[in-house]
Amino acid sequence: MLIVHGRKHYSPGLAELTFDGKTTGFKNLLTTFDSGASYTYLNSQAYQGLISLVSGRKSSKTRQNKC
């Protein structure tokens, strides 16, 4: 693990955001942990992309259940 200088956080390095086992196209995201890491923070582009994927999957499941 890498210590982020000037902060009490640890970083395993850069990460790629995946959803449902598939790549989202969001790569090289800096990953950090602290002693109480229970939240996930994403930059605005990655967040909006993830919301779109989750919303698309949710509406797809709704359509499948109606058939």
Side-chain angles (χ1 to χ4, degrees):
M1 270 195 214
L2 178 69
I3 296 175
V4 177
H5 297 290
R7 298 185 181 169
K8 294 183 180 182
H9 295 96
Y10 298 93
S11 175
L14 300 176
E16 177 180 0
L17 180 63
T18 61
F19 177 74
D20 197 23
K22 298 177 183 112
T23 185
T24 62
F26 297 102
K27 300 178 181 183
N28 300 321
L29 300 169
L30 181 60
T31 307
T32 58
F33 297 100
D34 63 20
S35 62
S38 57
Y39 296 99
T40 301
Y41 296 95
L42 301 169
N43 65 38
S44 61
Q45 293 88 1
Y47 176 78
Q48 290 302 322
L50 183 60
I51 292 300
S52 295
L53 290 168
V54 170
S55 296
R57 181 175 173 114
K58 192 167 124 180
S59 62
S60 173
K61 282 190 172 187
T62 302
R63 284 191 299 265
Q64 288 176 357
N65 289 336
K66 288 183 178 180
C67 295

